[in-house]
Amino acid sequence: MTRILIVGGGYAGLYTAWTLERLLRRGEAKVTVLDPRPYMTYQPFLPEVASGAIEARHAVVPLRRHLRRTRVVAGAARRIDHAHRTVHAVGPDGQALTFPYDVVVVTAGAVTRTFPIPGLLDEAIGLKNVEEAVAIRDRLLTAFDRAAALPDGPERARLLTVTFVGGGFSGVEGFAETLSLATELLAYYPELRREELAFHLVEAQGRILPEVTERPGRWVVKHLRSRGGIVHLGAKLVSAVGGHVELSTGEEFDSELIVWTAGNAANPVVAKHTDLPVDTRGYLLTRPDLRLGSVDEPVPDAWAAGDDAAIPDLALGGASFTVPNAQHAVRQARLLAANVVATLRGLPTRDYEHPSLGVVATLGRGHGIFQFKRLVITGWPAWALHRGYHVLAVPTWERKLRVLLDWLPALAGRRDPASLAAVSRPREAFRRGGTPPPERSDAPTSLVA
């Protein structure tokens, strides 16, 4: 049988395998998905996972549960050697893995783009994976608990200061959702005042949300500021050493939580460790029919879709590339699978062309923005559109139902303020037993219980 290897089990990878299972005849091909995680993450839900609006497990789709005729392997690709039709990978325990193939589909996904800013890698956290979203929520809730036990002062102010760097969709949605969470948390903390919260959104450009036009972008800035958010436009992060934030504008402040969402970069495997054709940014050069290569020189048996692929946007004339979002990823994956099957059977392929359905963003519970061409909707209607669209878009009916069950009770009640930060240290209580925790040397001595 033809061996089809899918490198990456994210949104595009899952839908490619899923569609191949439906289209391939039994015995026609053997499909393998290689990914270090056993699940697909629905990234548009991560801001709401960070705010507790969605349970973390409901934002992921287990690969083995839904890919019944596909081999799923836990491993991280390290090199794609197309000349020898081989992918070299590393397994969960560090063991070397080798995967020969006849056809390769690269859907490895992009990674968070970082810069050599002092303190960034030591202090900041991304918002690319569900583990990061959970950690953001738990760290914010823990900061509230710690701040409520302290008197007014620099340490309390630092604990109640949150900084998001990056004004794209991920940054704005994450910022707005956690700001909404923090505002609602004050009902549980009578010791804390609203004016003590300091939520900073830092964007290097002069505007946020480049996916929408300028006027709606200005409205979002005004809206976030009206809710107490501090939006820094035309400002870059200069240093984050020790949690002390320094901006290019000269502003400085201490921040307990720093979230970095300043764009994506090509997966290093694709950008640096393959003989497949890539552009100057490190993205795979992809034809309109989703084969790799140029229009005149396709690369045999190599395909790509999703965030790592530079795919001409035929709906806009082909001069630009499709943007990396969910609506493109799922449609590219379905067409890619159909084209792979067509090629196996000696049939012609089809080009990918999809006009945008518009953009929609959550800005916290009851707040949102939607734009389709010149139509702009804000507030509750946009928030409802956001939820409706993504419930339809998240894979599997089982996950759609779970997300709806997360949302419905939240409409009538407050958010859950329980932090599960100790989950990252599950053996600490067992090891310590009845021994009280050590006192912090910098702990205040004048507090009265």
Side-chain angles (χ1 to χ4, degrees):
M1 291 188 293
T2 299
R3 299 165 298 179
I4 302 174
L5 177 63
I6 302 174
V7 180
Y11 206 37
L14 169 64
Y15 267 97
T16 299
W18 219 357
T19 308
L20 285 171
E21 286 189 347
R22 180 172 55 85
L23 297 179
L24 287 169
R25 306 185 187 104
R26 288 195 176 274
E28 188 172 13
K30 179 180 180 181
V31 182
T32 300
V33 172
L34 174 67
D35 195 281
R37 290 182 172 83
Y39 51 78
M40 182 279 289
T41 301
Y42 189 70
Q43 293 184 352
F45 280 161
L46 293 185
E48 292 187 81
V49 172
S51 69
I54 294 178
E55 163 64 35
R57 288 176 299 172
H58 300 166
V60 301
V61 178
L63 297 176
R64 293 180 182 274
R65 177 170 182 174
H66 299 286
L67 297 177
R68 305 296 177 82
R69 295 165 51 198
T70 300
R71 181 191 179 199
V72 178
V73 179
R78 288 292 178 262
R79 178 168 179 78
I80 303 173
D81 183 359
H82 192 62
H84 297 92
R85 298 293 199 276
T86 303
V87 169
H88 301 279
V90 176
D93 297 323
Q95 70 273 31
L97 303 174
T98 302
F99 297 90
Y101 63 80
D102 300 304
V103 177
V104 67
V105 176
V106 185
T107 55
V111 298
T112 301
R113 178 184 59 186
T114 59
F115 298 100
I117 299 173
L120 177 63
L121 297 182
D122 296 324
E123 301 293 336
I125 186 172
L127 187 53
K128 194 75 173 173
N129 302 308
V130 69
E131 298 90 346
E132 295 172 323
V134 172
I136 288 169
R137 178 177 182 271
D138 286 339
R139 190 163 175 180
L140 178 62
L141 293 171
T142 301
F144 266 68
D145 287 331
R146 293 170 59 191
L150 294 174
D152 287 339
E155 177 64 9
R156 176 159 154 160
R158 181 184 67 82
L159 289 168
L160 297 177
T161 301
V162 175
T163 305
F164 275 74
V165 183
F169 259 80
S170 180
V172 170
E173 288 188 314
F175 176 81
E177 280 287 337
T178 52
L179 175 61
S180 179
L181 168 62
T183 304
E184 293 185 35
L185 286 176
L186 292 172
Y188 298 103
Y189 293 87
E191 306 93 337
L192 305 179
R193 304 181 304 276
R194 175 64 185 84
E195 57 270 21
E196 292 184 272
L197 296 181
F199 272 67
H200 298 264
L201 176 63
V202 181
E203 169 54 43
Q205 304 301 317
R207 54 165 298 186
I208 62 174
L209 294 180
E211 296 86 349
V212 304
T213 54
E214 189 170 346
R215 186 175 179 182
R218 290 198 303 268
W219 179 87
V220 173
V221 171
K222 183 178 179 181
H223 172 76
L224 294 176
R225 286 172 173 168
S226 71
R227 290 165 51 191
I230 305 168
V231 182
H232 306 266
L233 297 178
K236 297 180 181 179
L237 180 66
V238 174
S239 175
V241 175
H244 183 72
V245 173
E246 298 180 23
L247 303 181
S248 59
T249 56
E251 297 166 280
E252 299 183 25
F253 49 87
D254 292 324
S255 184
E256 168 66 11
L257 177 60
I258 302 173
V259 184
W260 179 267
T261 60
N264 297 325
N267 192 299
V269 176
V270 170
K272 302 176 181 178
H273 303 290
T274 182
D275 55 354
L276 295 170
V278 297
D279 64 13
T280 56
R281 304 170 301 159
Y283 291 91
L284 291 165
L285 288 171
T286 310
R287 293 158 38 105
D289 65 356
L290 306 180
R291 279 186 282 197
L292 295 185
S294 65
V295 174
D296 298 325
E297 297 184 15
V299 177
D301 303 319
W303 306 76
D307 294 355
D308 264 332
I311 302 170
D313 193 340
L314 299 185
L316 297 178
S320 59
F321 299 116
T322 57
V323 297
N325 60 23
Q327 61 176 285
H328 280 301
V330 62
R331 289 167 177 83
Q332 290 168 3
R334 287 170 173 163
L335 179 63
L336 189 156
N339 282 346
V340 168
V341 173
T343 302
L344 292 178
R345 298 172 184 172
L347 300 174
T349 61
R350 293 185 293 117
D351 288 346
Y352 176 76
E353 181 175 357
H354 169 65
S356 173
L357 299 176
V359 292
V360 61
T362 174
L363 300 176
R365 184 155 64 177
H367 306 284
I369 184 169
F370 168 81
Q371 181 175 17
F372 177 69
K373 297 182 178 179
R374 295 186 178 182
L375 174 64
V376 178
I377 300 174
T378 60
W380 264 89
W383 183 68
L385 281 170
H386 174 272
R387 295 208 152 178
Y389 172 79
H390 285 297
V391 164
L392 292 174
V394 67
T396 80
W397 285 103
E398 174 254 350
R399 276 304 185 265
K400 298 179 197 294
L401 179 59
R402 288 180 182 271
V403 171
L404 282 173
L405 293 176
D406 284 339
W407 279 339
L408 291 177
L411 293 174
R414 295 175 179 172
R415 299 179 193 261
D416 187 348
S419 169
L420 298 179
V423 169
S424 62
R425 305 180 303 277
R427 297 184 64 248
E428 183 174 331
F430 171 74
R431 291 199 306 264
R432 195 172 65 234
T435 305
E439 294 185 5
R440 291 176 53 189
S441 60
D442 60 343
T445 58
S446 59
L447 293 182
V448 178

